[in-house]
Amino acid sequence: MALTLEQVRHVATLARLSLTPQEEERYATQLSAVLDAVAELESLDVSQVEPTSHATLASSLLREDVLRPSLPPEAGLANAPAKVGSAFAVPKILE
C-alpha cells in the first residue's frame, strides 16, 4: 500500500511533526513498507492459534504487591539538604 504525500503530511500533523520535503518522501516509503508488512501478516490463517496476552506466555515476573513498612520520614530525610515538613524541598523551576 503506497501512502501519498498528503497522507504522510496528515500523519505528521497528528503527531505534531514538522517534516522537510525529503523527510516526507522518506517516510512515505518507510510507512508504506510497514503497511505492506502488516497486510502480509493479515493474510495469515491464525484460526488455530490460541489468543495470548503476552508473547512469552510467562507468568508475572514481578513480585507480589504487598504493603510493607517503610522508612519513617525522619530517617528518609536525615541527609536531605533542605526539607519542608516531611518532604524534600526542591528549587522552583516553573512559574
Side-chain angles (χ1 to χ4, degrees):
M1 171 182 189
L3 287 179
T4 65
L5 289 180
E6 185 61 35
Q7 290 170 317
V8 172
R9 289 183 191 114
H10 178 69
V11 171
T13 301
L14 292 174
R16 291 179 165 68
L17 297 174
S18 177
L19 301 177
T20 66
Q22 295 83 8
E23 290 171 325
E24 290 174 352
E25 291 283 344
R26 184 173 63 227
Y27 288 132
T29 302
Q30 292 175 349
L31 291 172
S32 295
V34 169
L35 292 175
D36 288 341
V38 169
E40 190 175 328
L41 291 174
E42 287 177 344
S43 69
L44 298 174
D45 177 20
V46 294
S47 61
Q48 302 299 315
V49 178
E50 293 264 342
T52 59
S53 61
H54 196 276
T56 63
L57 300 176
S59 61
S60 177
L61 302 176
L62 303 176
R63 67 170 169 78
E64 193 69 27
D65 190 14
V66 294
L67 185 61
R68 297 188 299 178
S70 61
L71 287 175
E74 303 80 35
L77 295 170
N79 293 324
K83 53 189 165 194
V84 176
S86 62
F88 290 96
V90 294
K92 184 176 181 179
I93 60 168
L94 300 175
E95 296 300 320

